[in-house]
Amino acid sequence: MRKLDFLKYLGGLLLFGSNGIVASSILLPSSQLVLLRTFIGCLLLGAAFLIAVRKLTATKHPRDFTLLVISGVAEGAAWLFLYEAYGEIGVGITTLIFYVGPVIVMALSPLVFKARLTAPMLLGFAIVIVGMLLVNSNAFQGGQTVWGLFCAGMSAVMYAVMIICNKKAPNVQGLENSAIVLFSTLVTVALFVGFTSGFAMDIRTQDLPAILFLGLANTGLGALLYFSAVGKLPVQTVSICGYLEPLFAVVLSAVILGETFGPLQVVGAICIIGGAILGEIANSKAQKTV
């Protein structure tokens, strides 16, 4: 079962990693795009929940329900900060800062989850960090704004809050978990858009297929796969393998958009994969000894 959860987690990361590819062709303000993808994803998850589950059990676990709502709010805030930072300082440096989130989770795991960190886990994580630095090496060129850096930093903080709160709610899993988190995300984003730019949108006809794919596949299905698995996996696995998402994004951008993938990026990709595998193997051995 754990292997299936790991595969679902990777599937969610792959879909999330393709977000930028799909969104690059859509001409809409970032906050409105986040709102649309969340709304469509909620419709998909809501329909799936009504068909497959029908009964809400989270009310029997008020603490878990509250934590999942907080997880959704954090995810909505993370997405809003992330897309704002994209426009301010670029995708590369934003991605690098955003994925400090798992570092925060791992750093807090001994306190929050009572997890044991071993030397091979830390080595694997260090290799992943080096890989991220190499993959995003071009991101250090050019100036960045204070506001953009703040948004990128807050996206990382909110990402960590989202993971921690979700893993602290073990009694609500699967579709119900995903639906609660994504609906809370939708409410958060809708409130932000309502108070800032408003809900009037100028959507081009040619953007509709990409918007639907972004909402149904990248958000709805991606959230289902991700949140149905993340609560069942060790925090070290979530933290280390979470770096596969930006790797997917880099590979897809090179293959689909024709973006250059230089020698440093190739070495970085190898480091990310190697570090993730090392961390996963080390974590599996540690679990067997407990």
Side-chain angles (χ1 to χ4, degrees), residues 24-62:
S24 63
S25 63
I26 302 173
L27 188 62
L28 273 178
S30 60
S31 60
Q32 293 185 349
L33 185 56
V34 172
L35 177 61
L36 281 175
R37 64 171 288 195
T38 309
F39 176 72
I40 297 172
C42 272
L43 290 180
L44 175 63
L45 282 184
F49 177 79
L50 291 176
I51 293 172
V53 182
R54 296 184 182 180
K55 186 178 180 181
L56 190 68
T57 63
T59 53
K60 298 179 181 179
H61 308 282

PDB file of all heavy atoms in Angstrom, residues 24-62:
ATOM      1  N   SER A  24       1.347  28.909 -19.069  1.00  0.00           N
ATOM      2  CA  SER A  24       2.117  29.863 -19.873  1.00  0.00           C
ATOM      3  C   SER A  24       1.358  30.362 -21.102  1.00  0.00           C
ATOM      4  O   SER A  24       1.652  31.440 -21.620  1.00  0.00           O
ATOM      5  CB  SER A  24       3.438  29.221 -20.323  1.00  0.00           C
ATOM      6  OG  SER A  24       3.185  28.103 -21.159  1.00  0.00           O
ATOM      7  N   SER A  25       0.366  29.603 -21.547  1.00  0.00           N
ATOM      8  CA  SER A  25      -0.375  29.992 -22.749  1.00  0.00           C
ATOM      9  C   SER A  25      -1.669  30.739 -22.435  1.00  0.00           C
ATOM     10  O   SER A  25      -2.395  31.121 -23.351  1.00  0.00           O
ATOM     11  CB  SER A  25      -0.705  28.743 -23.574  1.00  0.00           C
ATOM     12  OG  SER A  25      -1.565  27.874 -22.844  1.00  0.00           O
ATOM     13  N   ILE A  26      -1.964  30.922 -21.146  1.00  0.00           N
ATOM     14  CA  ILE A  26      -3.231  31.544 -20.743  1.00  0.00           C
ATOM     15  C   ILE A  26      -3.006  33.018 -20.410  1.00  0.00           C
ATOM     16  O   ILE A  26      -2.176  33.341 -19.553  1.00  0.00           O
ATOM     17  CB  ILE A  26      -3.838  30.813 -19.533  1.00  0.00           C
ATOM     18  CG1 ILE A  26      -4.053  29.332 -19.865  1.00  0.00           C
ATOM     19  CG2 ILE A  26      -5.158  31.455 -19.121  1.00  0.00           C
ATOM     20  CD1 ILE A  26      -4.495  28.494 -18.687  1.00  0.00           C
ATOM     21  N   LEU A  27      -3.760  33.888 -21.049  1.00  0.00           N
ATOM     22  CA  LEU A  27      -3.610  35.328 -20.849  1.00  0.00           C
ATOM     23  C   LEU A  27      -4.635  35.804 -19.818  1.00  0.00           C
ATOM     24  O   LEU A  27      -5.735  36.236 -20.146  1.00  0.00           O
ATOM     25  CB  LEU A  27      -3.793  36.069 -22.174  1.00  0.00           C
ATOM     26  CG  LEU A  27      -3.469  37.574 -22.159  1.00  0.00           C
ATOM     27  CD1 LEU A  27      -2.005  37.791 -21.808  1.00  0.00           C
ATOM     28  CD2 LEU A  27      -3.795  38.198 -23.522  1.00  0.00           C
ATOM     29  N   LEU A  28      -4.252  35.709 -18.539  1.00  0.00           N
ATOM     30  CA  LEU A  28      -5.091  36.160 -17.429  1.00  0.00           C
ATOM     31  C   LEU A  28      -4.192  36.594 -16.280  1.00  0.00           C
ATOM     32  O   LEU A  28      -3.076  36.087 -16.134  1.00  0.00           O
ATOM     33  CB  LEU A  28      -6.011  35.031 -16.945  1.00  0.00           C
ATOM     34  CG  LEU A  28      -7.368  34.823 -17.620  1.00  0.00           C
ATOM     35  CD1 LEU A  28      -8.064  33.613 -16.998  1.00  0.00           C
ATOM     36  CD2 LEU A  28      -8.254  36.054 -17.512  1.00  0.00           C
ATOM     37  N   PRO A  29      -4.654  37.530 -15.435  1.00  0.00           N
ATOM     38  CA  PRO A  29      -3.898  37.865 -14.222  1.00  0.00           C
ATOM     39  C   PRO A  29      -3.705  36.626 -13.358  1.00  0.00           C
ATOM     40  O   PRO A  29      -4.576  35.745 -13.309  1.00  0.00           O
ATOM     41  CB  PRO A  29      -4.796  38.895 -13.526  1.00  0.00           C
ATOM     42  CG  PRO A  29      -5.607  39.488 -14.616  1.00  0.00           C
ATOM     43  CD  PRO A  29      -5.851  38.380 -15.597  1.00  0.00           C
ATOM     44  N   SER A  30      -2.586  36.546 -12.672  1.00  0.00           N
ATOM     45  CA  SER A  30      -2.232  35.335 -11.925  1.00  0.00           C
ATOM     46  C   SER A  30      -3.283  34.957 -10.880  1.00  0.00           C
ATOM     47  O   SER A  30      -3.633  33.782 -10.742  1.00  0.00           O
ATOM     48  CB  SER A  30      -0.871  35.522 -11.246  1.00  0.00           C
ATOM     49  OG  SER A  30      -0.891  36.619 -10.352  1.00  0.00           O
ATOM     50  N   SER A  31      -3.817  35.930 -10.144  1.00  0.00           N
ATOM     51  CA  SER A  31      -4.789  35.612  -9.098  1.00  0.00           C
ATOM     52  C   SER A  31      -6.077  35.046  -9.686  1.00  0.00           C
ATOM     53  O   SER A  31      -6.675  34.109  -9.132  1.00  0.00           O
ATOM     54  CB  SER A  31      -5.094  36.850  -8.251  1.00  0.00           C
ATOM     55  OG  SER A  31      -5.629  37.890  -9.053  1.00  0.00           O
ATOM     56  N   GLN A  32      -6.513  35.580 -10.826  1.00  0.00           N
ATOM     57  CA  GLN A  32      -7.713  35.063 -11.474  1.00  0.00           C
ATOM     58  C   GLN A  32      -7.477  33.667 -12.034  1.00  0.00           C
ATOM     59  O   GLN A  32      -8.380  32.814 -12.004  1.00  0.00           O
ATOM     60  CB  GLN A  32      -8.164  36.016 -12.579  1.00  0.00           C
ATOM     61  CG  GLN A  32      -8.661  37.358 -12.069  1.00  0.00           C
ATOM     62  CD  GLN A  32      -9.208  38.233 -13.180  1.00  0.00           C
ATOM     63  OE1 GLN A  32      -9.043  37.946 -14.359  1.00  0.00           O
ATOM     64  NE2 GLN A  32      -9.859  39.325 -12.800  1.00  0.00           N
ATOM     65  N   LEU A  33      -6.282  33.426 -12.524  1.00  0.00           N
ATOM     66  CA  LEU A  33      -5.951  32.097 -13.025  1.00  0.00           C
ATOM     67  C   LEU A  33      -5.952  31.077 -11.890  1.00  0.00           C
ATOM     68  O   LEU A  33      -6.468  29.957 -12.036  1.00  0.00           O
ATOM     69  CB  LEU A  33      -4.585  32.124 -13.707  1.00  0.00           C
ATOM     70  CG  LEU A  33      -4.125  30.831 -14.392  1.00  0.00           C
ATOM     71  CD1 LEU A  33      -5.151  30.374 -15.413  1.00  0.00           C
ATOM     72  CD2 LEU A  33      -2.771  31.036 -15.049  1.00  0.00           C
ATOM     73  N   VAL A  34      -5.402  31.460 -10.747  1.00  0.00           N
ATOM     74  CA  VAL A  34      -5.423  30.587  -9.574  1.00  0.00           C
ATOM     75  C   VAL A  34      -6.861  30.310  -9.148  1.00  0.00           C
ATOM     76  O   VAL A  34      -7.220  29.183  -8.796  1.00  0.00           O
ATOM     77  CB  VAL A  34      -4.619  31.212  -8.412  1.00  0.00           C
ATOM     78  CG1 VAL A  34      -4.807  30.401  -7.132  1.00  0.00           C
ATOM     79  CG2 VAL A  34      -3.149  31.295  -8.760  1.00  0.00           C
ATOM     80  N   LEU A  35      -7.706  31.326  -9.189  1.00  0.00           N
ATOM     81  CA  LEU A  35      -9.112  31.154  -8.820  1.00  0.00           C
ATOM     82  C   LEU A  35      -9.813  30.181  -9.765  1.00  0.00           C
ATOM     83  O   LEU A  35     -10.552  29.289  -9.322  1.00  0.00           O
ATOM     84  CB  LEU A  35      -9.827  32.502  -8.834  1.00  0.00           C
ATOM     85  CG  LEU A  35     -11.332  32.463  -8.526  1.00  0.00           C
ATOM     86  CD1 LEU A  35     -11.595  31.900  -7.144  1.00  0.00           C
ATOM     87  CD2 LEU A  35     -11.942  33.858  -8.667  1.00  0.00           C
ATOM     88  N   LEU A  36      -9.608  30.334 -11.067  1.00  0.00           N
ATOM     89  CA  LEU A  36     -10.263  29.459 -12.039  1.00  0.00           C
ATOM     90  C   LEU A  36      -9.825  28.009 -11.870  1.00  0.00           C
ATOM     91  O   LEU A  36     -10.658  27.090 -11.870  1.00  0.00           O
ATOM     92  CB  LEU A  36      -9.951  29.930 -13.463  1.00  0.00           C
ATOM     93  CG  LEU A  36     -10.757  31.117 -13.985  1.00  0.00           C
ATOM     94  CD1 LEU A  36     -10.257  31.534 -15.356  1.00  0.00           C
ATOM     95  CD2 LEU A  36     -12.239  30.765 -14.057  1.00  0.00           C
ATOM     96  N   ARG A  37      -8.528  27.785 -11.721  1.00  0.00           N
ATOM     97  CA  ARG A  37      -8.044  26.415 -11.593  1.00  0.00           C
ATOM     98  C   ARG A  37      -8.557  25.773 -10.320  1.00  0.00           C
ATOM     99  O   ARG A  37      -8.895  24.581 -10.300  1.00  0.00           O
ATOM    100  CB  ARG A  37      -6.512  26.371 -11.635  1.00  0.00           C
ATOM    101  CG  ARG A  37      -5.806  27.069 -10.504  1.00  0.00           C
ATOM    102  CD  ARG A  37      -4.310  26.804 -10.481  1.00  0.00           C
ATOM    103  NE  ARG A  37      -4.031  25.454 -10.063  1.00  0.00           N
ATOM    104  CZ  ARG A  37      -2.814  25.048  -9.681  1.00  0.00           C
ATOM    105  NH1 ARG A  37      -1.789  25.893  -9.683  1.00  0.00           N
ATOM    106  NH2 ARG A  37      -2.615  23.797  -9.311  1.00  0.00           N
ATOM    107  N   THR A  38      -8.648  26.559  -9.245  1.00  0.00           N
ATOM    108  CA  THR A  38      -9.138  26.023  -7.984  1.00  0.00           C
ATOM    109  C   THR A  38     -10.630  25.722  -8.059  1.00  0.00           C
ATOM    110  O   THR A  38     -11.096  24.694  -7.562  1.00  0.00           O
ATOM    111  CB  THR A  38      -8.863  27.018  -6.844  1.00  0.00           C
ATOM    112  OG1 THR A  38      -7.486  27.415  -6.871  1.00  0.00           O
ATOM    113  CG2 THR A  38      -9.154  26.382  -5.492  1.00  0.00           C
ATOM    114  N   PHE A  39     -11.396  26.612  -8.698  1.00  0.00           N
ATOM    115  CA  PHE A  39     -12.843  26.416  -8.826  1.00  0.00           C
ATOM    116  C   PHE A  39     -13.154  25.162  -9.637  1.00  0.00           C
ATOM    117  O   PHE A  39     -13.988  24.332  -9.232  1.00  0.00           O
ATOM    118  CB  PHE A  39     -13.466  27.637  -9.491  1.00  0.00           C
ATOM    119  CG  PHE A  39     -14.941  27.497  -9.764  1.00  0.00           C
ATOM    120  CD1 PHE A  39     -15.859  27.524  -8.726  1.00  0.00           C
ATOM    121  CD2 PHE A  39     -15.401  27.324 -11.062  1.00  0.00           C
ATOM    122  CE1 PHE A  39     -17.218  27.374  -8.966  1.00  0.00           C
ATOM    123  CE2 PHE A  39     -16.753  27.183 -11.315  1.00  0.00           C
ATOM    124  CZ  PHE A  39     -17.667  27.202 -10.261  1.00  0.00           C
ATOM    125  N   ILE A  40     -12.489  24.998 -10.777  1.00  0.00           N
ATOM    126  CA  ILE A  40     -12.735  23.830 -11.622  1.00  0.00           C
ATOM    127  C   ILE A  40     -12.288  22.556 -10.906  1.00  0.00           C
ATOM    128  O   ILE A  40     -12.966  21.521 -10.960  1.00  0.00           O
ATOM    129  CB  ILE A  40     -12.011  23.978 -12.970  1.00  0.00           C
ATOM    130  CG1 ILE A  40     -12.559  25.181 -13.735  1.00  0.00           C
ATOM    131  CG2 ILE A  40     -12.171  22.706 -13.812  1.00  0.00           C
ATOM    132  CD1 ILE A  40     -11.778  25.526 -14.985  1.00  0.00           C
ATOM    133  N   GLY A  41     -11.156  22.627 -10.235  1.00  0.00           N
ATOM    134  CA  GLY A  41     -10.686  21.467  -9.482  1.00  0.00           C
ATOM    135  C   GLY A  41     -11.649  21.074  -8.386  1.00  0.00           C
ATOM    136  O   GLY A  41     -11.876  19.883  -8.128  1.00  0.00           O
ATOM    137  N   CYS A  42     -12.249  22.058  -7.727  1.00  0.00           N
ATOM    138  CA  CYS A  42     -13.234  21.787  -6.678  1.00  0.00           C
ATOM    139  C   CYS A  42     -14.473  21.096  -7.236  1.00  0.00           C
ATOM    140  O   CYS A  42     -15.047  20.208  -6.602  1.00  0.00           O
ATOM    141  CB  CYS A  42     -13.644  23.088  -5.981  1.00  0.00           C
ATOM    142  SG  CYS A  42     -12.585  23.540  -4.607  1.00  0.00           S
ATOM    143  N   LEU A  43     -14.898  21.517  -8.427  1.00  0.00           N
ATOM    144  CA  LEU A  43     -16.051  20.875  -9.053  1.00  0.00           C
ATOM    145  C   LEU A  43     -15.768  19.399  -9.302  1.00  0.00           C
ATOM    146  O   LEU A  43     -16.630  18.534  -9.051  1.00  0.00           O
ATOM    147  CB  LEU A  43     -16.391  21.574 -10.374  1.00  0.00           C
ATOM    148  CG  LEU A  43     -16.968  22.988 -10.280  1.00  0.00           C
ATOM    149  CD1 LEU A  43     -17.243  23.540 -11.681  1.00  0.00           C
ATOM    150  CD2 LEU A  43     -18.247  23.004  -9.446  1.00  0.00           C
ATOM    151  N   LEU A  44     -14.573  19.087  -9.796  1.00  0.00           N
ATOM    152  CA  LEU A  44     -14.205  17.705 -10.065  1.00  0.00           C
ATOM    153  C   LEU A  44     -14.147  16.889  -8.776  1.00  0.00           C
ATOM    154  O   LEU A  44     -14.732  15.801  -8.688  1.00  0.00           O
ATOM    155  CB  LEU A  44     -12.858  17.651 -10.783  1.00  0.00           C
ATOM    156  CG  LEU A  44     -12.287  16.251 -11.023  1.00  0.00           C
ATOM    157  CD1 LEU A  44     -13.203  15.448 -11.936  1.00  0.00           C
ATOM    158  CD2 LEU A  44     -10.887  16.328 -11.610  1.00  0.00           C
ATOM    159  N   LEU A  45     -13.458  17.411  -7.782  1.00  0.00           N
ATOM    160  CA  LEU A  45     -13.332  16.682  -6.529  1.00  0.00           C
ATOM    161  C   LEU A  45     -14.676  16.562  -5.809  1.00  0.00           C
ATOM    162  O   LEU A  45     -14.974  15.535  -5.198  1.00  0.00           O
ATOM    163  CB  LEU A  45     -12.313  17.377  -5.611  1.00  0.00           C
ATOM    164  CG  LEU A  45     -10.836  17.144  -5.921  1.00  0.00           C
ATOM    165  CD1 LEU A  45      -9.978  17.809  -4.862  1.00  0.00           C
ATOM    166  CD2 LEU A  45     -10.518  15.666  -5.987  1.00  0.00           C
ATOM    167  N   GLY A  46     -15.502  17.620  -5.891  1.00  0.00           N
ATOM    168  CA  GLY A  46     -16.818  17.562  -5.268  1.00  0.00           C
ATOM    169  C   GLY A  46     -17.689  16.489  -5.880  1.00  0.00           C
ATOM    170  O   GLY A  46     -18.364  15.727  -5.170  1.00  0.00           O
ATOM    171  N   ALA A  47     -17.668  16.392  -7.202  1.00  0.00           N
ATOM    172  CA  ALA A  47     -18.446  15.355  -7.891  1.00  0.00           C
ATOM    173  C   ALA A  47     -17.932  13.969  -7.528  1.00  0.00           C
ATOM    174  O   ALA A  47     -18.724  13.044  -7.259  1.00  0.00           O
ATOM    175  CB  ALA A  47     -18.375  15.575  -9.400  1.00  0.00           C
ATOM    176  N   ALA A  48     -16.622  13.800  -7.520  1.00  0.00           N
ATOM    177  CA  ALA A  48     -16.038  12.510  -7.169  1.00  0.00           C
ATOM    178  C   ALA A  48     -16.381  12.130  -5.733  1.00  0.00           C
ATOM    179  O   ALA A  48     -16.674  10.959  -5.435  1.00  0.00           O
ATOM    180  CB  ALA A  48     -14.519  12.550  -7.356  1.00  0.00           C
ATOM    181  N   PHE A  49     -16.374  13.104  -4.840  1.00  0.00           N
ATOM    182  CA  PHE A  49     -16.691  12.836  -3.436  1.00  0.00           C
ATOM    183  C   PHE A  49     -18.146  12.405  -3.276  1.00  0.00           C
ATOM    184  O   PHE A  49     -18.451  11.448  -2.551  1.00  0.00           O
ATOM    185  CB  PHE A  49     -16.421  14.087  -2.594  1.00  0.00           C
ATOM    186  CG  PHE A  49     -16.782  13.935  -1.139  1.00  0.00           C
ATOM    187  CD1 PHE A  49     -15.941  13.267  -0.279  1.00  0.00           C
ATOM    188  CD2 PHE A  49     -17.969  14.450  -0.639  1.00  0.00           C
ATOM    189  CE1 PHE A  49     -16.269  13.115   1.056  1.00  0.00           C
ATOM    190  CE2 PHE A  49     -18.309  14.305   0.683  1.00  0.00           C
ATOM    191  CZ  PHE A  49     -17.458  13.634   1.545  1.00  0.00           C
ATOM    192  N   LEU A  50     -19.055  13.091  -3.956  1.00  0.00           N
ATOM    193  CA  LEU A  50     -20.478  12.753  -3.855  1.00  0.00           C
ATOM    194  C   LEU A  50     -20.762  11.365  -4.424  1.00  0.00           C
ATOM    195  O   LEU A  50     -21.633  10.637  -3.912  1.00  0.00           O
ATOM    196  CB  LEU A  50     -21.316  13.801  -4.592  1.00  0.00           C
ATOM    197  CG  LEU A  50     -21.365  15.188  -3.949  1.00  0.00           C
ATOM    198  CD1 LEU A  50     -22.139  16.159  -4.834  1.00  0.00           C
ATOM    199  CD2 LEU A  50     -21.992  15.118  -2.550  1.00  0.00           C
ATOM    200  N   ILE A  51     -20.025  10.982  -5.459  1.00  0.00           N
ATOM    201  CA  ILE A  51     -20.242   9.674  -6.082  1.00  0.00           C
ATOM    202  C   ILE A  51     -19.633   8.547  -5.248  1.00  0.00           C
ATOM    203  O   ILE A  51     -20.266   7.513  -5.014  1.00  0.00           O
ATOM    204  CB  ILE A  51     -19.648   9.650  -7.503  1.00  0.00           C
ATOM    205  CG1 ILE A  51     -20.429  10.604  -8.415  1.00  0.00           C
ATOM    206  CG2 ILE A  51     -19.685   8.227  -8.083  1.00  0.00           C
ATOM    207  CD1 ILE A  51     -19.798  10.797  -9.781  1.00  0.00           C
ATOM    208  N   ALA A  52     -18.404   8.763  -4.789  1.00  0.00           N
ATOM    209  CA  ALA A  52     -17.661   7.680  -4.143  1.00  0.00           C
ATOM    210  C   ALA A  52     -17.841   7.621  -2.628  1.00  0.00           C
ATOM    211  O   ALA A  52     -17.826   6.535  -2.042  1.00  0.00           O
ATOM    212  CB  ALA A  52     -16.172   7.803  -4.474  1.00  0.00           C
ATOM    213  N   VAL A  53     -18.022   8.760  -1.984  1.00  0.00           N
ATOM    214  CA  VAL A  53     -18.048   8.788  -0.517  1.00  0.00           C
ATOM    215  C   VAL A  53     -19.428   9.151   0.023  1.00  0.00           C
ATOM    216  O   VAL A  53     -19.996   8.440   0.839  1.00  0.00           O
ATOM    217  CB  VAL A  53     -16.988   9.783   0.032  1.00  0.00           C
ATOM    218  CG1 VAL A  53     -16.989   9.767   1.554  1.00  0.00           C
ATOM    219  CG2 VAL A  53     -15.608   9.429  -0.510  1.00  0.00           C
ATOM    220  N   ARG A  54     -19.935  10.290  -0.424  1.00  0.00           N
ATOM    221  CA  ARG A  54     -21.275  10.780  -0.082  1.00  0.00           C
ATOM    222  C   ARG A  54     -21.414  11.261   1.360  1.00  0.00           C
ATOM    223  O   ARG A  54     -22.164  12.172   1.636  1.00  0.00           O
ATOM    224  CB  ARG A  54     -22.338   9.703  -0.359  1.00  0.00           C
ATOM    225  CG  ARG A  54     -22.460   9.322  -1.819  1.00  0.00           C
ATOM    226  CD  ARG A  54     -23.586   8.343  -2.032  1.00  0.00           C
ATOM    227  NE  ARG A  54     -23.688   7.944  -3.434  1.00  0.00           N
ATOM    228  CZ  ARG A  54     -24.593   7.103  -3.892  1.00  0.00           C
ATOM    229  NH1 ARG A  54     -25.486   6.564  -3.066  1.00  0.00           N
ATOM    230  NH2 ARG A  54     -24.613   6.798  -5.177  1.00  0.00           N
ATOM    231  N   LYS A  55     -20.704  10.655   2.280  1.00  0.00           N
ATOM    232  CA  LYS A  55     -20.866  11.007   3.692  1.00  0.00           C
ATOM    233  C   LYS A  55     -19.614  11.691   4.221  1.00  0.00           C
ATOM    234  O   LYS A  55     -18.499  11.199   4.051  1.00  0.00           O
ATOM    235  CB  LYS A  55     -21.159   9.750   4.518  1.00  0.00           C
ATOM    236  CG  LYS A  55     -21.491  10.033   5.973  1.00  0.00           C
ATOM    237  CD  LYS A  55     -21.818   8.743   6.706  1.00  0.00           C
ATOM    238  CE  LYS A  55     -22.152   9.013   8.171  1.00  0.00           C
ATOM    239  NZ  LYS A  55     -22.452   7.752   8.902  1.00  0.00           N
ATOM    240  N   LEU A  56     -19.811  12.832   4.862  1.00  0.00           N
ATOM    241  CA  LEU A  56     -18.690  13.569   5.449  1.00  0.00           C
ATOM    242  C   LEU A  56     -18.396  13.027   6.844  1.00  0.00           C
ATOM    243  O   LEU A  56     -19.256  13.051   7.719  1.00  0.00           O
ATOM    244  CB  LEU A  56     -19.023  15.065   5.519  1.00  0.00           C
ATOM    245  CG  LEU A  56     -17.886  16.012   5.894  1.00  0.00           C
ATOM    246  CD1 LEU A  56     -16.841  16.049   4.790  1.00  0.00           C
ATOM    247  CD2 LEU A  56     -18.429  17.413   6.153  1.00  0.00           C
ATOM    248  N   THR A  57     -17.195  12.506   7.020  1.00  0.00           N
ATOM    249  CA  THR A  57     -16.809  11.933   8.315  1.00  0.00           C
ATOM    250  C   THR A  57     -15.892  12.846   9.112  1.00  0.00           C
ATOM    251  O   THR A  57     -15.627  12.579  10.285  1.00  0.00           O
ATOM    252  CB  THR A  57     -16.102  10.579   8.112  1.00  0.00           C
ATOM    253  OG1 THR A  57     -14.886  10.789   7.360  1.00  0.00           O
ATOM    254  CG2 THR A  57     -17.001   9.610   7.348  1.00  0.00           C
ATOM    255  N   ALA A  58     -15.406  13.908   8.476  1.00  0.00           N
ATOM    256  CA  ALA A  58     -14.441  14.788   9.139  1.00  0.00           C
ATOM    257  C   ALA A  58     -15.053  15.478  10.359  1.00  0.00           C
ATOM    258  O   ALA A  58     -14.327  15.864  11.279  1.00  0.00           O
ATOM    259  CB  ALA A  58     -13.929  15.835   8.161  1.00  0.00           C
ATOM    260  N   THR A  59     -16.380  15.623  10.372  1.00  0.00           N
ATOM    261  CA  THR A  59     -17.028  16.272  11.519  1.00  0.00           C
ATOM    262  C   THR A  59     -16.862  15.460  12.798  1.00  0.00           C
ATOM    263  O   THR A  59     -17.009  15.990  13.896  1.00  0.00           O
ATOM    264  CB  THR A  59     -18.519  16.484  11.225  1.00  0.00           C
ATOM    265  OG1 THR A  59     -19.108  15.237  10.824  1.00  0.00           O
ATOM    266  CG2 THR A  59     -18.711  17.505  10.117  1.00  0.00           C
ATOM    267  N   LYS A  60     -16.557  14.166  12.658  1.00  0.00           N
ATOM    268  CA  LYS A  60     -16.312  13.326  13.836  1.00  0.00           C
ATOM    269  C   LYS A  60     -14.914  13.557  14.404  1.00  0.00           C
ATOM    270  O   LYS A  60     -14.606  13.085  15.500  1.00  0.00           O
ATOM    271  CB  LYS A  60     -16.475  11.849  13.467  1.00  0.00           C
ATOM    272  CG  LYS A  60     -17.870  11.478  12.991  1.00  0.00           C
ATOM    273  CD  LYS A  60     -17.934  10.004  12.619  1.00  0.00           C
ATOM    274  CE  LYS A  60     -19.318   9.627  12.114  1.00  0.00           C
ATOM    275  NZ  LYS A  60     -19.385   8.191  11.713  1.00  0.00           N
ATOM    276  N   HIS A  61     -14.105  14.242  13.631  1.00  0.00           N
ATOM    277  CA  HIS A  61     -12.731  14.551  14.046  1.00  0.00           C
ATOM    278  C   HIS A  61     -12.507  16.048  13.894  1.00  0.00           C
ATOM    279  O   HIS A  61     -11.827  16.492  12.955  1.00  0.00           O
ATOM    280  CB  HIS A  61     -11.732  13.770  13.198  1.00  0.00           C
ATOM    281  CG  HIS A  61     -11.982  12.301  13.135  1.00  0.00           C
ATOM    282  ND1 HIS A  61     -11.647  11.441  14.155  1.00  0.00           N
ATOM    283  CD2 HIS A  61     -12.578  11.539  12.167  1.00  0.00           C
ATOM    284  CE1 HIS A  61     -11.984  10.212  13.817  1.00  0.00           C
ATOM    285  NE2 HIS A  61     -12.558  10.240  12.625  1.00  0.00           N
ATOM    286  N   PRO A  62     -13.076  16.849  14.794  1.00  0.00           N
ATOM    287  CA  PRO A  62     -13.022  18.311  14.634  1.00  0.00           C
ATOM    288  C   PRO A  62     -11.603  18.865  14.581  1.00  0.00           C
ATOM    289  O   PRO A  62     -11.344  19.830  13.855  1.00  0.00           O
ATOM    290  CB  PRO A  62     -13.768  18.826  15.862  1.00  0.00           C
ATOM    291  CG  PRO A  62     -13.805  17.684  16.828  1.00  0.00           C
ATOM    292  CD  PRO A  62     -13.811  16.442  15.993  1.00  0.00           C
TER     293      PRO A  62
END
